[in-house]
Amino acid sequence: KVTESRSFDKALVVFHHWNASARYQQLANFFSRRGITVVEMALPYHFERSRPGADYADYMLSPNLGRTMQSMRQAVWDGRKLIRWLREQGFKEISVLGMSLGSWVAGLIAANDKTVSKAALFLTAGSLADMVWTGRATRTICESIKPAIELDDLRRAWGPLNLVNHAHHLARDNLELNVVLAKRDKVVLPELSERLIQGLKDAGAEPSILELNCGHYSLSMPPYIVSAGRSVARLLKPDP
């Protein structure tokens, strides 16, 4: 879904959260009024890409380790193809923004696509394995995995999805990072986010970090989402 602006210089590609039921229209309008075209990509098994008969995006993130890897890989490929298309349309600066699970997709794209100049990661962490193992929203997945695999094995299986393992690429000179976290997050625990921040700093990155006194889901409500949106607006403003 494309929300156009008057300018065709900047584009922001947005990756939504797992099981999203609606697009981020207010966010899209906020940035389009500021001269940034917003492109919201449906992740695999969401919106128009939903699996027939499925009540939620059970193939995007599931106890099936290989299918989850395949779905995340598909999301990254799709995002990179979309970025190439935006370049062909004439956009000069392309940034990415990811929410929760979408932040892993946005982070992986930013790490591996040097045409991305700015990345905003909301409610993110490094290890997807640890997030699934400890998060409230993924409790059912964790209960299905635990009888068959230990956490260390899950970390190895999903190692390519761990943003800490891509920290060196995320720390490149031509990439600016903005991270927005919730201090009372029960889905992506704050200690997991802290590991990612430390990994980025160890690699030489200097991310802009905004920690809000809210939970995972309340970030989407005022006044928290206003603060988060303003932090991204500062990230995307023209360089002096």
Side-chain angles (χ1 to χ4, degrees):
K1 183 178 182 299
V2 180
T3 304
E4 295 183 347
S5 69
R6 294 180 180 179
S7 169
F8 287 92
D9 289 334
K10 293 186 176 185
L12 175 66
V13 183
V14 177
F15 302 92
H16 57 76
H17 60 281
W18 183 44
N19 288 325
S21 58
R23 302 186 190 274
Y24 304 143
Q25 190 60 57
Q26 288 184 318
L27 181 146
N29 292 340
F30 176 83
F31 287 110
S32 68
R33 288 195 297 267
R34 286 158 175 78
I36 301 167
T37 293
V38 177
V39 184
E40 299 176 76
M41 192 193 91
L43 295 178
Y45 306 108
H46 289 80
F47 299 114
E48 299 86 353
R49 310 176 72 179
S50 295
R51 188 169 63 88
D55 295 327
Y56 64 102
D58 57 339
Y59 275 24
M60 181 72 199
L61 184 62
S62 75
N64 187 319
L65 308 190
R67 181 185 292 150
T68 297
M69 283 284 292
Q70 185 181 41
S71 298
M72 292 292 288
R73 185 186 189 194
Q74 185 67 54
V76 171
W77 274 357
D78 292 343
R80 294 193 67 181
K81 289 177 182 177
L82 177 54
I83 288 168
R84 285 200 299 272
W85 178 80
L86 288 169
R87 284 287 183 191
E88 292 169 358
Q89 304 311 302
F91 287 95
K92 297 182 175 110
E93 180 181 294
I94 299 175
S95 306
V96 295
L97 185 155
M99 302 271 195
S100 194
L101 184 63
S103 73
W104 268 268
V105 177
L108 290 168
I109 290 172
N112 292 282
D113 194 328
K114 293 183 179 180
T115 63
V116 174
S117 58
K118 298 176 182 179
L121 309 179
F122 285 17
L123 307 170
T124 192
S127 171
L128 187 68
D130 282 86
M131 187 276 281
V132 167
W133 201 266
T134 60
R136 178 180 294 175
T138 52
R139 189 173 298 161
T140 302
I141 295 176
C142 182
E143 290 172 354
S144 298
I145 292 175
K146 277 187 174 180
I149 192 171
E150 299 290 336
L151 177 55
D152 284 344
D153 294 323
L154 183 60
R155 286 169 175 160
R156 283 192 289 271
W158 285 352
L161 305 178
N162 188 337
L163 293 183
V164 175
N165 294 335
H166 300 266
H168 178 73
H169 296 291
L170 288 168
R172 69 176 187 269
D173 291 338
N174 64 338
L175 178 65
E176 295 182 56
L177 291 173
N178 171 250
V179 180
V180 178
L181 305 173
K183 293 181 180 179
R184 294 184 281 115
D185 201 331
K186 301 298 183 184
V187 176
V188 181
L189 300 186
E191 53 263 38
L192 302 183
S193 301
E194 290 169 8
R195 292 181 202 169
L196 172 61
I197 299 301
Q198 189 59 53
L200 291 170
K201 290 181 177 178
D202 290 345
E206 297 179 354
S208 171
I209 302 166
L210 175 64
E211 293 183 271
L212 298 171
N213 189 28
C214 63
H216 192 87
Y217 300 108
S218 53
L219 177 68
S220 63
M221 298 184 291
Y224 310 113
I225 192 60
V226 176
S227 298
R230 286 174 176 168
S231 74
V232 179
R234 288 192 294 271
L235 174 76
L236 302 182
K237 71 179 181 180
D239 296 327

